[in-house]
Amino acid sequence: MARTTLTRTILAAVSAAALFTLGACSSDAGTAEPGGGGEPAADDGVITLGFSQVGAESGWRAANTKSIQDTLTEENGFELKFSDAQQKQENQIQAIRSYITQGVDVIAFSPVVETGWDAVLQEAKSAGIPVILTDRAVDSSDETLYESFIGSDFVKEGEMAGEWVVEQYDGEGYKAVELQGTTGAAPAIDRKEGFASAIEGSDIEIIDSQTGNFTRAEGKTVMEGFLNKHDDIDLVFAHNDDMGLGAIEAIEAAGLKPGEDIKIVTIDAVKDGMQALVDGKINYIVECNPLLGPDLAEVAQKVIAGEEVEKRIVVEDQAFDQAAAKEALPTREY
């Protein structure tokens, strides 16, 4: 009887210890209460990163997503939680709030539009979760709401496209149409600004401008409208390759030759666009490098380690004419 009592006592002590251990493991998970001020932890050495992507609207975006998913792997010390916002800001805000509730270590996202982020970013800050912006910026007066912004200089990209157009066609009275990116998105705003600035003072005139939402299908539809409305289009400036490729379809359907009858300048330099440049259907492409995964991983690791990071990390971009595209295309990663 005494032996049985002793056994029960030992079992009770072991059970209590086990429960204490489980409780401790639960605490180490670092789950922050939403809106609470708890700091997420990465005590196991794995960084849990919640990423909200704009969508899958283009070849560029597909390459960007692949770079992030291929880099933020378990082998590289990450647990990636990924969501596709399908081009809707409300979906991104919902995803970010979900990541806050889950208590991830880092939140990263590529904003659908520039404005309307302060409230949800303040929630992340209050929860002690650092935020990293990729590809696109936010328009906020409070830069403490995010740690760093990694991406290209969209104004410069527009300027590079415009400078080439001026160099090639100034003095010929060219009439241009513009296929804009998503209304309110940083690349659409900045590329338009850069291009307009570069052609200022030349005789190149933008006679029409409309959003094609960065998609090939809408680029084709908008270009069809331009062709029905104007019979004097000399050049298309598309804010990305996919809209330019859609414009090619519309131009060909109208019985015209893209790259000859109507010149085309685009931004991105994904494989499909580069191939069209090699084929002579696009005349010039300014690159926007989508391979941001390694930069994001490095910044996230530094932030978690408490190291300082640059507020603005600019990705260097190139530009391609037909000869340069022929040389680059065989080894193109995206």
Side-chain angles (χ1 to χ4, degrees), residues 212-225:
N213 281 312
F214 288 122
T215 70
R216 193 173 305 195
E218 289 193 51
K220 179 182 179 182
T221 300
V222 174
M223 190 65 207
E224 287 170 346

PDB file of all heavy atoms in Angstrom, residues 212-225:
ATOM      1  N   GLY A 212      -4.197  49.746 -67.462  1.00  0.00           N
ATOM      2  CA  GLY A 212      -4.421  48.373 -67.921  1.00  0.00           C
ATOM      3  C   GLY A 212      -4.169  47.393 -66.793  1.00  0.00           C
ATOM      4  O   GLY A 212      -4.104  46.186 -67.009  1.00  0.00           O
ATOM      5  N   ASN A 213      -4.010  47.923 -65.553  1.00  0.00           N
ATOM      6  CA  ASN A 213      -3.873  47.119 -64.334  1.00  0.00           C
ATOM      7  C   ASN A 213      -2.747  46.096 -64.380  1.00  0.00           C
ATOM      8  O   ASN A 213      -2.831  45.042 -63.751  1.00  0.00           O
ATOM      9  CB  ASN A 213      -5.205  46.431 -63.997  1.00  0.00           C
ATOM     10  CG  ASN A 213      -6.166  47.378 -63.324  1.00  0.00           C
ATOM     11  OD1 ASN A 213      -5.811  48.082 -62.387  1.00  0.00           O
ATOM     12  ND2 ASN A 213      -7.392  47.420 -63.817  1.00  0.00           N
ATOM     13  N   PHE A 214      -1.715  46.391 -65.159  1.00  0.00           N
ATOM     14  CA  PHE A 214      -0.530  45.536 -65.241  1.00  0.00           C
ATOM     15  C   PHE A 214      -0.807  44.160 -65.842  1.00  0.00           C
ATOM     16  O   PHE A 214       0.041  43.267 -65.739  1.00  0.00           O
ATOM     17  CB  PHE A 214       0.123  45.355 -63.855  1.00  0.00           C
ATOM     18  CG  PHE A 214       0.825  46.576 -63.336  1.00  0.00           C
ATOM     19  CD1 PHE A 214       0.466  47.136 -62.118  1.00  0.00           C
ATOM     20  CD2 PHE A 214       1.854  47.166 -64.046  1.00  0.00           C
ATOM     21  CE1 PHE A 214       1.131  48.254 -61.617  1.00  0.00           C
ATOM     22  CE2 PHE A 214       2.520  48.286 -63.555  1.00  0.00           C
ATOM     23  CZ  PHE A 214       2.155  48.832 -62.341  1.00  0.00           C
ATOM     24  N   THR A 215      -1.964  43.945 -66.470  1.00  0.00           N
ATOM     25  CA  THR A 215      -2.274  42.626 -67.025  1.00  0.00           C
ATOM     26  C   THR A 215      -2.256  42.636 -68.545  1.00  0.00           C
ATOM     27  O   THR A 215      -2.558  43.646 -69.182  1.00  0.00           O
ATOM     28  CB  THR A 215      -3.654  42.114 -66.556  1.00  0.00           C
ATOM     29  OG1 THR A 215      -4.687  42.889 -67.162  1.00  0.00           O
ATOM     30  CG2 THR A 215      -3.779  42.185 -65.043  1.00  0.00           C
ATOM     31  N   ARG A 216      -1.933  41.498 -69.119  1.00  0.00           N
ATOM     32  CA  ARG A 216      -1.877  41.375 -70.575  1.00  0.00           C
ATOM     33  C   ARG A 216      -3.263  41.551 -71.189  1.00  0.00           C
ATOM     34  O   ARG A 216      -3.428  42.224 -72.210  1.00  0.00           O
ATOM     35  CB  ARG A 216      -1.296  40.010 -70.953  1.00  0.00           C
ATOM     36  CG  ARG A 216      -0.909  39.892 -72.411  1.00  0.00           C
ATOM     37  CD  ARG A 216      -0.194  38.592 -72.713  1.00  0.00           C
ATOM     38  NE  ARG A 216       0.977  38.376 -71.875  1.00  0.00           N
ATOM     39  CZ  ARG A 216       1.918  37.473 -72.129  1.00  0.00           C
ATOM     40  NH1 ARG A 216       1.824  36.697 -73.203  1.00  0.00           N
ATOM     41  NH2 ARG A 216       2.940  37.330 -71.314  1.00  0.00           N
ATOM     42  N   ALA A 217      -4.261  40.952 -70.556  1.00  0.00           N
ATOM     43  CA  ALA A 217      -5.626  41.024 -71.094  1.00  0.00           C
ATOM     44  C   ALA A 217      -6.137  42.454 -71.143  1.00  0.00           C
ATOM     45  O   ALA A 217      -6.694  42.902 -72.152  1.00  0.00           O
ATOM     46  CB  ALA A 217      -6.564  40.155 -70.253  1.00  0.00           C
ATOM     47  N   GLU A 218      -5.929  43.198 -70.044  1.00  0.00           N
ATOM     48  CA  GLU A 218      -6.410  44.579 -70.021  1.00  0.00           C
ATOM     49  C   GLU A 218      -5.549  45.487 -70.897  1.00  0.00           C
ATOM     50  O   GLU A 218      -6.038  46.457 -71.474  1.00  0.00           O
ATOM     51  CB  GLU A 218      -6.466  45.107 -68.586  1.00  0.00           C
ATOM     52  CG  GLU A 218      -7.576  44.472 -67.767  1.00  0.00           C
ATOM     53  CD  GLU A 218      -7.834  45.213 -66.473  1.00  0.00           C
ATOM     54  OE1 GLU A 218      -8.008  46.448 -66.502  1.00  0.00           O
ATOM     55  OE2 GLU A 218      -7.868  44.543 -65.422  1.00  0.00           O
ATOM     56  N   GLY A 219      -4.267  45.152 -71.021  1.00  0.00           N
ATOM     57  CA  GLY A 219      -3.423  45.903 -71.940  1.00  0.00           C
ATOM     58  C   GLY A 219      -3.933  45.800 -73.364  1.00  0.00           C
ATOM     59  O   GLY A 219      -3.973  46.796 -74.109  1.00  0.00           O
ATOM     60  N   LYS A 220      -4.355  44.604 -73.744  1.00  0.00           N
ATOM     61  CA  LYS A 220      -4.916  44.395 -75.084  1.00  0.00           C
ATOM     62  C   LYS A 220      -6.208  45.179 -75.254  1.00  0.00           C
ATOM     63  O   LYS A 220      -6.417  45.864 -76.271  1.00  0.00           O
ATOM     64  CB  LYS A 220      -5.175  42.907 -75.318  1.00  0.00           C
ATOM     65  CG  LYS A 220      -5.784  42.593 -76.683  1.00  0.00           C
ATOM     66  CD  LYS A 220      -6.063  41.107 -76.842  1.00  0.00           C
ATOM     67  CE  LYS A 220      -6.695  40.820 -78.199  1.00  0.00           C
ATOM     68  NZ  LYS A 220      -7.010  39.369 -78.353  1.00  0.00           N
ATOM     69  N   THR A 221      -7.093  45.095 -74.259  1.00  0.00           N
ATOM     70  CA  THR A 221      -8.385  45.776 -74.345  1.00  0.00           C
ATOM     71  C   THR A 221      -8.220  47.290 -74.451  1.00  0.00           C
ATOM     72  O   THR A 221      -8.873  47.944 -75.272  1.00  0.00           O
ATOM     73  CB  THR A 221      -9.249  45.432 -73.115  1.00  0.00           C
ATOM     74  OG1 THR A 221      -9.465  44.019 -73.081  1.00  0.00           O
ATOM     75  CG2 THR A 221     -10.587  46.142 -73.166  1.00  0.00           C
ATOM     76  N   VAL A 222      -7.349  47.843 -73.598  1.00  0.00           N
ATOM     77  CA  VAL A 222      -7.141  49.294 -73.622  1.00  0.00           C
ATOM     78  C   VAL A 222      -6.507  49.720 -74.942  1.00  0.00           C
ATOM     79  O   VAL A 222      -6.882  50.744 -75.528  1.00  0.00           O
ATOM     80  CB  VAL A 222      -6.270  49.738 -72.427  1.00  0.00           C
ATOM     81  CG1 VAL A 222      -5.933  51.226 -72.535  1.00  0.00           C
ATOM     82  CG2 VAL A 222      -6.996  49.473 -71.110  1.00  0.00           C
ATOM     83  N   MET A 223      -5.577  48.935 -75.447  1.00  0.00           N
ATOM     84  CA  MET A 223      -4.933  49.269 -76.719  1.00  0.00           C
ATOM     85  C   MET A 223      -5.936  49.224 -77.868  1.00  0.00           C
ATOM     86  O   MET A 223      -5.882  50.061 -78.785  1.00  0.00           O
ATOM     87  CB  MET A 223      -3.764  48.314 -76.986  1.00  0.00           C
ATOM     88  CG  MET A 223      -2.892  48.737 -78.163  1.00  0.00           C
ATOM     89  SD  MET A 223      -2.054  50.310 -77.837  1.00  0.00           S
ATOM     90  CE  MET A 223      -1.851  50.935 -79.506  1.00  0.00           C
ATOM     91  N   GLU A 224      -6.841  48.288 -77.819  1.00  0.00           N
ATOM     92  CA  GLU A 224      -7.898  48.244 -78.834  1.00  0.00           C
ATOM     93  C   GLU A 224      -8.703  49.533 -78.816  1.00  0.00           C
ATOM     94  O   GLU A 224      -9.051  50.085 -79.877  1.00  0.00           O
ATOM     95  CB  GLU A 224      -8.824  47.041 -78.579  1.00  0.00           C
ATOM     96  CG  GLU A 224      -8.202  45.695 -78.913  1.00  0.00           C
ATOM     97  CD  GLU A 224      -9.034  44.518 -78.437  1.00  0.00           C
ATOM     98  OE1 GLU A 224      -9.960  44.737 -77.610  1.00  0.00           O
ATOM     99  OE2 GLU A 224      -8.766  43.386 -78.873  1.00  0.00           O
ATOM    100  N   GLY A 225      -8.994  50.019 -77.623  1.00  0.00           N
ATOM    101  CA  GLY A 225      -9.718  51.285 -77.498  1.00  0.00           C
ATOM    102  C   GLY A 225      -8.926  52.454 -78.047  1.00  0.00           C
ATOM    103  O   GLY A 225      -9.473  53.329 -78.731  1.00  0.00           O
TER     104      GLY A 225
END
